[in-house]
Amino acid sequence: MEHIERSRDFTIDTLMSLRAELEQALRTSPEKDKLTIVATGSYGREEASPESDIDLFILFDADDSAEDRIRAELKSVEDVIKAKVPNMAGDTGTFGLDAVKSFSEMKINIGGQHDDNRSLTRRMLFLLEGTWLYQETRFKEYQSSLLRRYVENSSPKAALPRFLLNDIIRYYRTITTDFEHKISESGKAWGLRNIKLRFSRKLLYFGGILVVAEMAEAGYDKWEPRALELFSIPVLRRIEHLIKDGCGEKVLMIYDRFIAGITDKATREALSRVTKEDRTGSTEYQGLRVLSDEFSAALSECLKSRYKPEHPIHHALMF
């Protein structure tokens, strides 16, 4: 998987550099023990390239105004990030240096009327593809605490953690249904974003389903450690780890072709120019769209090959 390996190497090298430089930049901060910096997106999935932006948000646990207290820290973080990753995302307040939240906010109102798209997105990506940029230990503690919120009220007789599974499903359906709104509001390229939806977002969803299915295999008493183990493995390596037959290899081969497409400058630029109205005239878009159908079929095949028909994941995904 040439392109997956190349992207993985680039991601790991960049993350190592960012972590070291952020540690150095924040070493004298009086707030350093309350700060945690999280990356998601292509850097969380280990598929970044020099063209990738970086989705990040900052967790700062304090009782008063976070931005006022850590203004100098935010500037230091910005300087480090921009030196390594010039394309830093700021997705309507969901990601970026203005996305400063307390971890406690991630655990409340799950499914409630105040659980808006931003909250759902941060929470799900934190679990499904999050990695740390600053404060590894606290990141892992937070991830464990959030996961516990999903499983703590489950019955020991439950086949699998439905609260967690339902939120994963809700997140995936949310990003697919509000796709058109985000395009019209943010002005982002339709073609490139559509292709990412067909591949990376679908991969993320499948990776979450795998974790829930494996929790069911492990049994109630081992739900939390099994989930934390798997969430710590980026999703492509998670598939390599769990699905070792030809089906898993097929998924990775298809995804490798997707990575090849979006990391090729000419293809990426062509996709960025594609609109919904002229999509049928783009050979680059149409080629990846057809490939995405193969990808969906391969993921479905893998779910069936990995888990027997009587496995509770199949029933839970439908009802």
Side-chain angles (χ1 to χ4, degrees), residues 239-252 298 301-307:
I239 291 173
E240 291 175 1
H241 175 68
L242 292 174
I243 308 175
K244 300 183 182 298
D245 59 14
C247 179
E249 185 177 358
K250 183 178 181 180
V251 164
L252 296 174
E301 178 187 344
C302 282
L303 194 66
K304 294 174 183 176
S305 68
R306 173 69 181 173
Y307 306 108

Side-chain angles (χ1 to χ4, degrees), residues 275-312:
T275 66
K276 185 177 182 180
E277 291 72 26
D278 65 11
R279 64 190 184 278
T280 57
S282 169
T283 56
E284 294 85 359
Y285 175 81
Q286 289 300 321
L288 287 169
R289 184 198 63 77
V290 171
L291 186 65
S292 73
D293 292 338
E294 295 180 34
F295 186 56
S296 296
L299 291 175
S300 179
E301 178 187 344
C302 282
L303 194 66
K304 294 174 183 176
S305 68
R306 173 69 181 173
Y307 306 108
K308 296 178 180 179
E310 61 270 21
H311 193 287

